[in-house]
Amino acid sequence: QVQLVESGGGLVQAGDSLRLSCAGSGRTLSSYAMGWFRQAPGKEREFVAAIAWSGRHRYYADSAKGRFTISRDNAKNMVYLEMDSLEPEDTAIYYCAAVTSSLATRVPRFEREYDYWGQGTQVTVSS
């Protein structure tokens, strides 16, 4: 079992930056592909970014390209989401997710591909 805990959310202004963290416990995350998803009020949860267990492959939603960066530190069992140029439309609860993967290139993009989820951290961007 893997437990995931997100942190780093908060209230910021449009144009600001924020760094979300996802701490893993119970198992080393080095063999897990990791993803970030978000759910805005009244909307379904959507994919934001994913990173392969190797760290060498990443995939972003169009809304995140050029503004968000996903990274990981397997030695610390941590995954991060650096968010720049935040917009009010980025307001959502952000979730970290994990799935075991034998492929160093796998970057899952769909909720159904993930086995473990954190509780989420709220990000609010004011205009």
PDB file of all heavy atoms in Angstrom, residues 47-77:
ATOM      1  N   PHE A  47      -6.983  15.515 -15.693  1.00  0.00           N
ATOM      2  CA  PHE A  47      -5.551  15.278 -15.700  1.00  0.00           C
ATOM      3  C   PHE A  47      -4.788  16.591 -15.830  1.00  0.00           C
ATOM      4  O   PHE A  47      -5.207  17.492 -16.578  1.00  0.00           O
ATOM      5  CB  PHE A  47      -5.218  14.354 -16.874  1.00  0.00           C
ATOM      6  CG  PHE A  47      -3.747  14.211 -17.150  1.00  0.00           C
ATOM      7  CD1 PHE A  47      -2.955  13.406 -16.351  1.00  0.00           C
ATOM      8  CD2 PHE A  47      -3.166  14.905 -18.199  1.00  0.00           C
ATOM      9  CE1 PHE A  47      -1.605  13.274 -16.604  1.00  0.00           C
ATOM     10  CE2 PHE A  47      -1.820  14.778 -18.471  1.00  0.00           C
ATOM     11  CZ  PHE A  47      -1.041  13.959 -17.671  1.00  0.00           C
ATOM     12  N   VAL A  48      -3.666  16.683 -15.118  1.00  0.00           N
ATOM     13  CA  VAL A  48      -2.809  17.860 -15.207  1.00  0.00           C
ATOM     14  C   VAL A  48      -1.435  17.489 -15.766  1.00  0.00           C
ATOM     15  O   VAL A  48      -0.973  18.067 -16.746  1.00  0.00           O
ATOM     16  CB  VAL A  48      -2.649  18.537 -13.833  1.00  0.00           C
ATOM     17  CG1 VAL A  48      -1.673  19.710 -13.926  1.00  0.00           C
ATOM     18  CG2 VAL A  48      -3.989  18.995 -13.290  1.00  0.00           C
ATOM     19  N   ALA A  49      -0.779  16.520 -15.122  1.00  0.00           N
ATOM     20  CA  ALA A  49       0.572  16.158 -15.529  1.00  0.00           C
ATOM     21  C   ALA A  49       0.914  14.775 -14.996  1.00  0.00           C
ATOM     22  O   ALA A  49       0.337  14.328 -14.003  1.00  0.00           O
ATOM     23  CB  ALA A  49       1.584  17.177 -15.032  1.00  0.00           C
ATOM     24  N   ALA A  50       1.864  14.118 -15.664  1.00  0.00           N
ATOM     25  CA  ALA A  50       2.324  12.806 -15.217  1.00  0.00           C
ATOM     26  C   ALA A  50       3.818  12.684 -15.466  1.00  0.00           C
ATOM     27  O   ALA A  50       4.368  13.335 -16.368  1.00  0.00           O
ATOM     28  CB  ALA A  50       1.574  11.690 -15.931  1.00  0.00           C
ATOM     29  N   ILE A  51       4.456  11.842 -14.654  1.00  0.00           N
ATOM     30  CA  ILE A  51       5.887  11.617 -14.794  1.00  0.00           C
ATOM     31  C   ILE A  51       6.164  10.135 -14.603  1.00  0.00           C
ATOM     32  O   ILE A  51       5.611   9.486 -13.716  1.00  0.00           O
ATOM     33  CB  ILE A  51       6.675  12.484 -13.789  1.00  0.00           C
ATOM     34  CG1 ILE A  51       8.176  12.380 -14.039  1.00  0.00           C
ATOM     35  CG2 ILE A  51       6.317  12.120 -12.347  1.00  0.00           C
ATOM     36  CD1 ILE A  51       8.974  13.436 -13.274  1.00  0.00           C
ATOM     37  N   ALA A  52       7.016   9.589 -15.472  1.00  0.00           N
ATOM     38  CA  ALA A  52       7.385   8.179 -15.370  1.00  0.00           C
ATOM     39  C   ALA A  52       8.256   7.945 -14.149  1.00  0.00           C
ATOM     40  O   ALA A  52       8.833   8.884 -13.590  1.00  0.00           O
ATOM     41  CB  ALA A  52       8.117   7.767 -16.643  1.00  0.00           C
ATOM     42  N   TRP A  53       8.367   6.687 -13.726  1.00  0.00           N
ATOM     43  CA  TRP A  53       9.152   6.415 -12.528  1.00  0.00           C
ATOM     44  C   TRP A  53      10.607   6.807 -12.719  1.00  0.00           C
ATOM     45  O   TRP A  53      11.297   7.164 -11.768  1.00  0.00           O
ATOM     46  CB  TRP A  53       9.037   4.950 -12.101  1.00  0.00           C
ATOM     47  CG  TRP A  53       9.635   3.922 -13.028  1.00  0.00           C
ATOM     48  CD1 TRP A  53       8.947   3.100 -13.870  1.00  0.00           C
ATOM     49  CD2 TRP A  53      11.012   3.584 -13.205  1.00  0.00           C
ATOM     50  NE1 TRP A  53       9.803   2.290 -14.564  1.00  0.00           N
ATOM     51  CE2 TRP A  53      11.084   2.549 -14.171  1.00  0.00           C
ATOM     52  CE3 TRP A  53      12.203   4.033 -12.628  1.00  0.00           C
ATOM     53  CZ2 TRP A  53      12.278   1.978 -14.561  1.00  0.00           C
ATOM     54  CZ3 TRP A  53      13.408   3.463 -13.026  1.00  0.00           C
ATOM     55  CH2 TRP A  53      13.428   2.453 -13.988  1.00  0.00           C
ATOM     56  N   SER A  54      11.074   6.763 -13.961  1.00  0.00           N
ATOM     57  CA  SER A  54      12.457   7.126 -14.257  1.00  0.00           C
ATOM     58  C   SER A  54      12.688   8.626 -14.137  1.00  0.00           C
ATOM     59  O   SER A  54      13.827   9.077 -14.001  1.00  0.00           O
ATOM     60  CB  SER A  54      12.817   6.679 -15.671  1.00  0.00           C
ATOM     61  OG  SER A  54      12.011   7.376 -16.614  1.00  0.00           O
ATOM     62  N   GLY A  55      11.616   9.412 -14.224  1.00  0.00           N
ATOM     63  CA  GLY A  55      11.756  10.863 -14.204  1.00  0.00           C
ATOM     64  C   GLY A  55      12.121  11.451 -15.546  1.00  0.00           C
ATOM     65  O   GLY A  55      12.150  12.676 -15.702  1.00  0.00           O
ATOM     66  N   ARG A  56      12.376  10.608 -16.523  1.00  0.00           N
ATOM     67  CA  ARG A  56      12.858  11.104 -17.815  1.00  0.00           C
ATOM     68  C   ARG A  56      11.743  11.356 -18.819  1.00  0.00           C
ATOM     69  O   ARG A  56      12.000  11.875 -19.912  1.00  0.00           O
ATOM     70  CB  ARG A  56      13.866  10.118 -18.398  1.00  0.00           C
ATOM     71  CG  ARG A  56      15.153  10.021 -17.595  1.00  0.00           C
ATOM     72  CD  ARG A  56      16.232   9.343 -18.407  1.00  0.00           C
ATOM     73  NE  ARG A  56      15.909   7.949 -18.670  1.00  0.00           N
ATOM     74  CZ  ARG A  56      16.270   6.946 -17.887  1.00  0.00           C
ATOM     75  NH1 ARG A  56      16.946   7.190 -16.781  1.00  0.00           N
ATOM     76  NH2 ARG A  56      15.958   5.702 -18.188  1.00  0.00           N
ATOM     77  N   HIS A  57      10.530  10.976 -18.471  1.00  0.00           N
ATOM     78  CA  HIS A  57       9.401  11.186 -19.369  1.00  0.00           C
ATOM     79  C   HIS A  57       8.274  11.867 -18.619  1.00  0.00           C
ATOM     80  O   HIS A  57       7.913  11.456 -17.510  1.00  0.00           O
ATOM     81  CB  HIS A  57       8.935   9.851 -19.947  1.00  0.00           C
ATOM     82  CG  HIS A  57       9.979   9.187 -20.782  1.00  0.00           C
ATOM     83  ND1 HIS A  57      10.100   9.402 -22.138  1.00  0.00           N
ATOM     84  CD2 HIS A  57      10.983   8.338 -20.446  1.00  0.00           C
ATOM     85  CE1 HIS A  57      11.110   8.695 -22.601  1.00  0.00           C
ATOM     86  NE2 HIS A  57      11.669   8.050 -21.595  1.00  0.00           N
ATOM     87  N   ARG A  58       7.726  12.890 -19.237  1.00  0.00           N
ATOM     88  CA  ARG A  58       6.652  13.664 -18.652  1.00  0.00           C
ATOM     89  C   ARG A  58       5.568  13.900 -19.692  1.00  0.00           C
ATOM     90  O   ARG A  58       5.835  13.903 -20.900  1.00  0.00           O
ATOM     91  CB  ARG A  58       7.159  15.019 -18.144  1.00  0.00           C
ATOM     92  CG  ARG A  58       8.234  14.932 -17.079  1.00  0.00           C
ATOM     93  CD  ARG A  58       8.764  16.324 -16.772  1.00  0.00           C
ATOM     94  NE  ARG A  58       9.708  16.323 -15.670  1.00  0.00           N
ATOM     95  CZ  ARG A  58      11.002  16.077 -15.788  1.00  0.00           C
ATOM     96  NH1 ARG A  58      11.505  15.803 -16.969  1.00  0.00           N
ATOM     97  NH2 ARG A  58      11.786  16.110 -14.732  1.00  0.00           N
ATOM     98  N   TYR A  59       4.366  14.142 -19.203  1.00  0.00           N
ATOM     99  CA  TYR A  59       3.265  14.474 -20.111  1.00  0.00           C
ATOM    100  C   TYR A  59       2.378  15.495 -19.420  1.00  0.00           C
ATOM    101  O   TYR A  59       2.124  15.384 -18.223  1.00  0.00           O
ATOM    102  CB  TYR A  59       2.452  13.223 -20.465  1.00  0.00           C
ATOM    103  CG  TYR A  59       1.458  13.468 -21.566  1.00  0.00           C
ATOM    104  CD1 TYR A  59       1.839  13.393 -22.903  1.00  0.00           C
ATOM    105  CD2 TYR A  59       0.128  13.779 -21.286  1.00  0.00           C
ATOM    106  CE1 TYR A  59       0.931  13.627 -23.921  1.00  0.00           C
ATOM    107  CE2 TYR A  59      -0.781  14.011 -22.289  1.00  0.00           C
ATOM    108  CZ  TYR A  59      -0.379  13.934 -23.605  1.00  0.00           C
ATOM    109  OH  TYR A  59      -1.278  14.178 -24.615  1.00  0.00           O
ATOM    110  N   TYR A  60       1.929  16.490 -20.198  1.00  0.00           N
ATOM    111  CA  TYR A  60       1.128  17.571 -19.619  1.00  0.00           C
ATOM    112  C   TYR A  60      -0.184  17.742 -20.370  1.00  0.00           C
ATOM    113  O   TYR A  60      -0.240  17.575 -21.592  1.00  0.00           O
ATOM    114  CB  TYR A  60       1.899  18.888 -19.683  1.00  0.00           C
ATOM    115  CG  TYR A  60       3.163  18.920 -18.865  1.00  0.00           C
ATOM    116  CD1 TYR A  60       4.382  18.618 -19.434  1.00  0.00           C
ATOM    117  CD2 TYR A  60       3.121  19.266 -17.508  1.00  0.00           C
ATOM    118  CE1 TYR A  60       5.547  18.638 -18.688  1.00  0.00           C
ATOM    119  CE2 TYR A  60       4.285  19.297 -16.754  1.00  0.00           C
ATOM    120  CZ  TYR A  60       5.493  18.986 -17.356  1.00  0.00           C
ATOM    121  OH  TYR A  60       6.636  19.021 -16.604  1.00  0.00           O
ATOM    122  N   ALA A  61      -1.199  18.138 -19.627  1.00  0.00           N
ATOM    123  CA  ALA A  61      -2.425  18.585 -20.264  1.00  0.00           C
ATOM    124  C   ALA A  61      -2.138  19.902 -20.979  1.00  0.00           C
ATOM    125  O   ALA A  61      -1.214  20.637 -20.606  1.00  0.00           O
ATOM    126  CB  ALA A  61      -3.510  18.787 -19.212  1.00  0.00           C
ATOM    127  N   ASP A  62      -2.910  20.194 -21.989  1.00  0.00           N
ATOM    128  CA  ASP A  62      -2.696  21.434 -22.739  1.00  0.00           C
ATOM    129  C   ASP A  62      -2.748  22.656 -21.819  1.00  0.00           C
ATOM    130  O   ASP A  62      -2.006  23.619 -22.006  1.00  0.00           O
ATOM    131  CB  ASP A  62      -3.751  21.564 -23.849  1.00  0.00           C
ATOM    132  CG  ASP A  62      -3.509  20.599 -24.984  1.00  0.00           C
ATOM    133  OD1 ASP A  62      -2.392  20.042 -25.077  1.00  0.00           O
ATOM    134  OD2 ASP A  62      -4.439  20.380 -25.776  1.00  0.00           O
ATOM    135  N   SER A  63      -3.604  22.603 -20.822  1.00  0.00           N
ATOM    136  CA  SER A  63      -3.761  23.733 -19.911  1.00  0.00           C
ATOM    137  C   SER A  63      -2.529  23.956 -19.041  1.00  0.00           C
ATOM    138  O   SER A  63      -2.351  25.040 -18.478  1.00  0.00           O
ATOM    139  CB  SER A  63      -4.986  23.527 -19.018  1.00  0.00           C
ATOM    140  OG  SER A  63      -4.849  22.336 -18.262  1.00  0.00           O
ATOM    141  N   ALA A  64      -1.696  22.927 -18.934  1.00  0.00           N
ATOM    142  CA  ALA A  64      -0.526  23.002 -18.070  1.00  0.00           C
ATOM    143  C   ALA A  64       0.781  23.246 -18.832  1.00  0.00           C
ATOM    144  O   ALA A  64       1.770  23.691 -18.237  1.00  0.00           O
ATOM    145  CB  ALA A  64      -0.390  21.711 -17.268  1.00  0.00           C
ATOM    146  N   LYS A  65       0.771  22.977 -20.108  1.00  0.00           N
ATOM    147  CA  LYS A  65       1.987  23.110 -20.901  1.00  0.00           C
ATOM    148  C   LYS A  65       2.530  24.534 -20.864  1.00  0.00           C
ATOM    149  O   LYS A  65       1.805  25.498 -21.048  1.00  0.00           O
ATOM    150  CB  LYS A  65       1.714  22.705 -22.350  1.00  0.00           C
ATOM    151  CG  LYS A  65       1.523  21.221 -22.542  1.00  0.00           C
ATOM    152  CD  LYS A  65       1.233  20.898 -24.005  1.00  0.00           C
ATOM    153  CE  LYS A  65       0.995  19.408 -24.184  1.00  0.00           C
ATOM    154  NZ  LYS A  65       0.628  19.076 -25.582  1.00  0.00           N
ATOM    155  N   GLY A  66       3.818  24.643 -20.601  1.00  0.00           N
ATOM    156  CA  GLY A  66       4.468  25.942 -20.577  1.00  0.00           C
ATOM    157  C   GLY A  66       4.344  26.683 -19.262  1.00  0.00           C
ATOM    158  O   GLY A  66       5.043  27.681 -19.039  1.00  0.00           O
ATOM    159  N   ARG A  67       3.451  26.226 -18.369  1.00  0.00           N
ATOM    160  CA  ARG A  67       3.272  26.904 -17.077  1.00  0.00           C
ATOM    161  C   ARG A  67       3.574  26.007 -15.892  1.00  0.00           C
ATOM    162  O   ARG A  67       4.038  26.480 -14.859  1.00  0.00           O
ATOM    163  CB  ARG A  67       1.836  27.425 -16.953  1.00  0.00           C
ATOM    164  CG  ARG A  67       1.420  28.437 -18.004  1.00  0.00           C
ATOM    165  CD  ARG A  67       0.061  29.050 -17.675  1.00  0.00           C
ATOM    166  NE  ARG A  67      -0.981  28.040 -17.557  1.00  0.00           N
ATOM    167  CZ  ARG A  67      -1.784  27.912 -16.504  1.00  0.00           C
ATOM    168  NH1 ARG A  67      -1.657  28.725 -15.462  1.00  0.00           N
ATOM    169  NH2 ARG A  67      -2.723  26.968 -16.488  1.00  0.00           N
ATOM    170  N   PHE A  68       3.288  24.715 -16.033  1.00  0.00           N
ATOM    171  CA  PHE A  68       3.481  23.781 -14.923  1.00  0.00           C
ATOM    172  C   PHE A  68       4.648  22.850 -15.236  1.00  0.00           C
ATOM    173  O   PHE A  68       4.888  22.494 -16.391  1.00  0.00           O
ATOM    174  CB  PHE A  68       2.231  22.938 -14.710  1.00  0.00           C
ATOM    175  CG  PHE A  68       1.015  23.695 -14.247  1.00  0.00           C
ATOM    176  CD1 PHE A  68       1.026  25.073 -14.091  1.00  0.00           C
ATOM    177  CD2 PHE A  68      -0.159  23.005 -13.969  1.00  0.00           C
ATOM    178  CE1 PHE A  68      -0.095  25.764 -13.660  1.00  0.00           C
ATOM    179  CE2 PHE A  68      -1.297  23.671 -13.543  1.00  0.00           C
ATOM    180  CZ  PHE A  68      -1.256  25.056 -13.397  1.00  0.00           C
ATOM    181  N   THR A  69       5.333  22.420 -14.170  1.00  0.00           N
ATOM    182  CA  THR A  69       6.419  21.465 -14.315  1.00  0.00           C
ATOM    183  C   THR A  69       6.282  20.387 -13.248  1.00  0.00           C
ATOM    184  O   THR A  69       6.232  20.701 -12.052  1.00  0.00           O
ATOM    185  CB  THR A  69       7.781  22.139 -14.171  1.00  0.00           C
ATOM    186  OG1 THR A  69       7.913  23.179 -15.145  1.00  0.00           O
ATOM    187  CG2 THR A  69       8.895  21.117 -14.370  1.00  0.00           C
ATOM    188  N   ILE A  70       6.217  19.135 -13.684  1.00  0.00           N
ATOM    189  CA  ILE A  70       6.178  18.024 -12.747  1.00  0.00           C
ATOM    190  C   ILE A  70       7.590  17.471 -12.600  1.00  0.00           C
ATOM    191  O   ILE A  70       8.344  17.385 -13.572  1.00  0.00           O
ATOM    192  CB  ILE A  70       5.193  16.928 -13.222  1.00  0.00           C
ATOM    193  CG1 ILE A  70       5.021  15.857 -12.143  1.00  0.00           C
ATOM    194  CG2 ILE A  70       5.615  16.327 -14.554  1.00  0.00           C
ATOM    195  CD1 ILE A  70       3.913  14.856 -12.453  1.00  0.00           C
ATOM    196  N   SER A  71       7.936  17.119 -11.373  1.00  0.00           N
ATOM    197  CA  SER A  71       9.260  16.560 -11.116  1.00  0.00           C
ATOM    198  C   SER A  71       9.157  15.584  -9.952  1.00  0.00           C
ATOM    199  O   SER A  71       8.130  15.521  -9.272  1.00  0.00           O
ATOM    200  CB  SER A  71      10.272  17.666 -10.809  1.00  0.00           C
ATOM    201  OG  SER A  71       9.904  18.379  -9.634  1.00  0.00           O
ATOM    202  N   ARG A  72      10.226  14.849  -9.737  1.00  0.00           N
ATOM    203  CA  ARG A  72      10.224  13.888  -8.645  1.00  0.00           C
ATOM    204  C   ARG A  72      11.617  13.740  -8.074  1.00  0.00           C
ATOM    205  O   ARG A  72      12.610  13.955  -8.755  1.00  0.00           O
ATOM    206  CB  ARG A  72       9.688  12.539  -9.116  1.00  0.00           C
ATOM    207  CG  ARG A  72      10.524  11.839 -10.152  1.00  0.00           C
ATOM    208  CD  ARG A  72       9.780  10.630 -10.729  1.00  0.00           C
ATOM    209  NE  ARG A  72       9.436   9.677  -9.682  1.00  0.00           N
ATOM    210  CZ  ARG A  72       8.455   8.776  -9.785  1.00  0.00           C
ATOM    211  NH1 ARG A  72       7.719   8.713 -10.887  1.00  0.00           N
ATOM    212  NH2 ARG A  72       8.213   7.931  -8.796  1.00  0.00           N
ATOM    213  N   ASP A  73      11.651  13.348  -6.804  1.00  0.00           N
ATOM    214  CA  ASP A  73      12.892  13.034  -6.127  1.00  0.00           C
ATOM    215  C   ASP A  73      12.683  11.670  -5.473  1.00  0.00           C
ATOM    216  O   ASP A  73      12.120  11.575  -4.378  1.00  0.00           O
ATOM    217  CB  ASP A  73      13.216  14.105  -5.089  1.00  0.00           C
ATOM    218  CG  ASP A  73      14.578  13.913  -4.455  1.00  0.00           C
ATOM    219  OD1 ASP A  73      15.075  12.766  -4.448  1.00  0.00           O
ATOM    220  OD2 ASP A  73      15.148  14.891  -3.954  1.00  0.00           O
ATOM    221  N   ASN A  74      13.096  10.635  -6.151  1.00  0.00           N
ATOM    222  CA  ASN A  74      12.855   9.276  -5.655  1.00  0.00           C
ATOM    223  C   ASN A  74      13.582   9.003  -4.339  1.00  0.00           C
ATOM    224  O   ASN A  74      13.102   8.219  -3.513  1.00  0.00           O
ATOM    225  CB  ASN A  74      13.256   8.259  -6.708  1.00  0.00           C
ATOM    226  CG  ASN A  74      12.270   8.214  -7.876  1.00  0.00           C
ATOM    227  OD1 ASN A  74      11.123   8.660  -7.759  1.00  0.00           O
ATOM    228  ND2 ASN A  74      12.713   7.696  -8.995  1.00  0.00           N
ATOM    229  N   ALA A  75      14.704   9.646  -4.152  1.00  0.00           N
ATOM    230  CA  ALA A  75      15.451   9.443  -2.904  1.00  0.00           C
ATOM    231  C   ALA A  75      14.663   9.971  -1.704  1.00  0.00           C
ATOM    232  O   ALA A  75      14.787   9.436  -0.593  1.00  0.00           O
ATOM    233  CB  ALA A  75      16.799  10.131  -2.993  1.00  0.00           C
ATOM    234  N   LYS A  76      13.864  11.006  -1.939  1.00  0.00           N
ATOM    235  CA  LYS A  76      13.066  11.598  -0.861  1.00  0.00           C
ATOM    236  C   LYS A  76      11.616  11.108  -0.881  1.00  0.00           C
ATOM    237  O   LYS A  76      10.817  11.510  -0.040  1.00  0.00           O
ATOM    238  CB  LYS A  76      13.078  13.121  -0.971  1.00  0.00           C
ATOM    239  CG  LYS A  76      14.453  13.738  -0.750  1.00  0.00           C
ATOM    240  CD  LYS A  76      14.376  15.256  -0.823  1.00  0.00           C
ATOM    241  CE  LYS A  76      15.741  15.876  -0.562  1.00  0.00           C
ATOM    242  NZ  LYS A  76      15.708  17.365  -0.634  1.00  0.00           N
ATOM    243  N   ASN A  77      11.288  10.265  -1.863  1.00  0.00           N
ATOM    244  CA  ASN A  77       9.910   9.782  -1.998  1.00  0.00           C
ATOM    245  C   ASN A  77       8.923  10.923  -2.186  1.00  0.00           C
ATOM    246  O   ASN A  77       7.843  10.940  -1.591  1.00  0.00           O
ATOM    247  CB  ASN A  77       9.509   8.939  -0.787  1.00  0.00           C
ATOM    248  CG  ASN A  77       9.097   7.530  -1.182  1.00  0.00           C
ATOM    249  OD1 ASN A  77       9.546   7.001  -2.192  1.00  0.00           O
ATOM    250  ND2 ASN A  77       8.250   6.910  -0.387  1.00  0.00           N
TER     251      ASN A  77
END
